[in-house]
Amino acid sequence: MLGEALALLAAAAYGVAGLSIVHAKAQAQGDNGVFLSIVVTAVCSWGLWLFTADVSRDVLLSGVGGKAMLIFACAGLCANVLGRQPMYRVTEVAGAVNAGLLRRLVPVFALPCAFLVLGQTPGPQVLVGGVFVLAGVLFYLRPSKTPLGGWVALGTVSALAYAMAYTLRGLGLLFLPDAALGTAIGASVASVWVAAGTVLRQGRLPGWHHITVDRSAAHWITAFALSAGQILQFFALKHTTVAAVSVLGAMDVLFAAVLMRWRPTQENVALARLLLAMVLAMIGTALLLAP
């Protein structure tokens, strides 16, 4: 039960993060704390690694270790640059619930990614699970409920990027089985990439101001909530199955919807429709990840 409890806490943390992104947007003068959240993830991951590291220095400095760290770096760019930045934008425009529901597409996109990178061929059960997930997402986001605008496409790109990140991290773990180190390396590389890219595009002072100006309480809450979600999921995986963690992780959408009763936003939530959509998505996720 410990693993399931930690997975639920992780889902709650992601629900808080989605809601705080929406509220922080009103105070944003720059990137709405995206860079801050990546840096906090890197710092927390390195701190976690210091307490959980079980890989020797010789392995880290070997050719296999170098290959794994390069893969982890690529995974970090996919997750924190191609995944997290669009996820922020979708959440700002479409709301925490819509953005969270689009993240349910991650395990679906992981199927072709795993086939291309790891050579894993999905079986009939996995394909049926993917259909359930897609049905749940489309049921809630169908045009009669929400006009399918650019934010849906952006959310789909974000989900695809996260799926590729998870696949690459899985590949890296085959060479270097240390998830905390992989997350730390990926977030660190992404921090440098975002900072360098912003400075090159906007100039040194304007660029640095753009990625560091947003440090309100809401931005810090988002950063630590996202980091807490990742860390709690990491520990949950030590005590329960990947399927259980992934299915319970889908509860972040419901946590966000409930939290809106205390911190309302402009997003309108059809709760009955959402519950049915979540049931379909959770059944699909269970089928996708069942042994």
Side-chain angles (χ1 to χ4, degrees):
M1 291 298 293
L2 177 59
E4 287 77 6
L6 292 173
L8 278 174
L9 287 174
Y14 282 123
V16 170
L19 198 60
S20 61
I21 288 173
V22 176
H23 285 289
K25 179 59 178 176
Q27 310 168 43
Q29 302 177 52
D31 69 348
N32 197 19
V34 177
F35 179 71
L36 175 66
S37 73
I38 298 173
V39 172
V40 169
T41 298
V43 172
C44 291
S45 300
W46 281 117
L48 176 62
W49 179 72
L50 290 176
F51 290 98
T52 62
D54 56 1
V55 179
S56 68
R57 179 183 176 186
D58 291 339
V59 173
L60 289 176
L61 297 178
S62 67
V64 172
K67 181 184 295 186
M69 287 189 278
L70 179 59
I71 295 172
F72 287 146
C74 293
L77 291 175
C78 286
N80 295 291
V81 178
L82 300 178
R84 184 173 298 197
Q85 289 185 318
M87 182 268 291
Y88 259 75
R89 303 289 87 86
V90 172
T91 306
E92 292 167 358
V93 174
V97 170
N98 288 327
L101 200 59
L102 284 171
R103 283 198 299 275
R104 304 285 70 79
L105 294 174
V106 172
V108 177
F109 289 136
L111 299 179
C113 291
F115 174 75
L116 293 173
V117 176
L118 302 174
Q120 298 177 352
T121 303
Q125 175 180 307
V126 171
L127 295 176
V128 171
V131 171
F132 267 93
V133 173
L134 285 172
V137 173
L138 292 176
F139 175 76
Y140 189 77
L141 299 179
R142 67 179 190 260
S144 60
K145 161 66 175 63
T146 304
L148 299 181
W151 61 265
V152 174
L154 195 60
T156 303
V157 169
S158 174
L160 178 59
Y162 274 120
M164 192 64 192
Y166 296 154
T167 304
L168 288 173
R169 189 173 296 168
L171 178 62
L173 289 173
L174 294 177
F175 298 102
L176 195 63
D178 194 324
L181 178 62
T183 303
I185 291 173
S188 299
V189 171
S191 298
V192 174
W193 180 280
V194 170
T198 306
V199 167
L200 287 174
R201 289 193 306 271
Q202 301 186 18
R204 184 170 61 87
L205 292 179
W208 187 249
H209 179 267
H210 179 75
I211 60 177
T212 59
V213 66
D214 292 327
R215 290 180 291 179
S216 70
H219 295 115
W220 282 105
I221 289 172
T222 302
F224 280 106
L226 287 173
S227 300
Q230 286 192 1
I231 292 171
L232 286 166
Q233 281 188 338
F234 173 78
F235 280 105
L237 288 169
K238 290 190 173 184
H239 299 281
T240 188
T241 63
V242 173
V245 172
S246 298
V247 171
L248 291 172
M251 297 292 288
D252 65 338
V253 179
L254 294 180
F255 278 116
V258 171
L259 288 171
M260 284 180 189
R261 294 183 177 273
W262 286 272
R263 292 293 307 277
T265 68
Q266 294 182 346
E267 182 178 6
N268 294 319
V269 178
L271 191 56
R273 194 195 311 272
L274 176 62
L275 288 173
L276 181 54
M278 289 304 301
V279 168
L280 291 172
M282 292 171 74
I283 291 173
T285 303
L287 290 172
L288 283 168
L289 299 172

